[in-house]
Amino acid sequence: MSILGNPLTLITSGKPFIRALEAAGTLGVYVPLEGGLEGRYQRRLRGAGYKVLNITARGLGDLSSYLLDVHGVRPPHLGKKNLGREGAVGYRYFVPPVATYEAEVLPKGAKGLVIWMLEGHILSRSELEFLVTLPQTDSRIKVVLEMGGDRQFTWKPLKDILAAA
């Protein structure tokens, strides 16, 4: 027995995780707070042919607009104000949809796009329900949502987590 505990726990294939993600479409994961394991699972996903997009749930606004539609953003004005037609809030820039764009430019032979979203515990119930239905609307997109901490890396389909809440 090594200092790190059971050495076989460090070498995981990730196949049960990938099978669960492909079956459910959206998984809620609980990760150890010291970190490290999520990177291993992301490497396993990339090795299985998925592209992984890391984003955080904080500050996204409307998830459907951010992920699937062209949406406007306003950078902070830093004390400078416009007095013309733009009002006092500054210019609005239009940004392409993150998930749709990434799914369209996937390399040839890729299985799909996995959106790995941090801090999923701050999302509302309706936003979580949207993430559950997202893989059904576009089969190329899968979602992994970090819901909180645990002693080991565990996962459940997000629809099961919603049903329990």
Side-chain angles (χ1 to χ4, degrees), residues 18-142:
I18 294 170
R19 280 194 299 266
L21 180 61
E22 289 172 345
T26 305
L27 291 179
V29 297
Y30 297 91
V31 297
L33 297 178
E34 60 269 5
L37 285 176
E38 58 272 14
R40 291 183 182 145
Y41 282 95
Q42 289 174 11
R43 271 197 317 272
R44 300 303 189 267
L45 285 168
R46 285 192 293 271
Y50 287 98
K51 181 177 181 183
V52 179
L53 174 67
N54 285 304
I55 59 175
T56 181
R58 289 200 187 272
L60 287 184
D62 183 21
L63 282 180
S64 63
S65 293
Y66 182 79
L67 295 174
L68 302 176
D69 298 325
V70 174
H71 58 283
V73 295
R74 293 183 193 271
H77 59 78
L78 304 176
K80 298 179 168 89
K81 295 183 179 180
N82 292 343
L83 297 177
R85 295 181 183 207
E86 293 293 321
V89 291
Y91 296 110
R92 182 169 51 178
Y93 299 96
F94 291 94
V95 184
V98 175
T100 307
Y101 175 77
E102 291 290 336
E104 287 174 358
V105 297
L106 284 172
K108 235 178 189 170
K111 283 187 174 180
L113 172 71
V114 175
I115 300 172
W116 194 289
M117 193 175 294
L118 306 174
E119 299 175 327
H121 61 278
I122 67 165
L123 296 176
S124 69
R125 184 172 183 85
S126 63
E127 290 171 328
L128 294 174
E129 289 170 354
F130 166 75
L131 290 175
V132 169
T133 60
L134 179 60
Q136 297 165 0
T137 59
D138 190 348
S139 61
R140 301 173 295 178
I141 299 174
K142 310 284 186 221

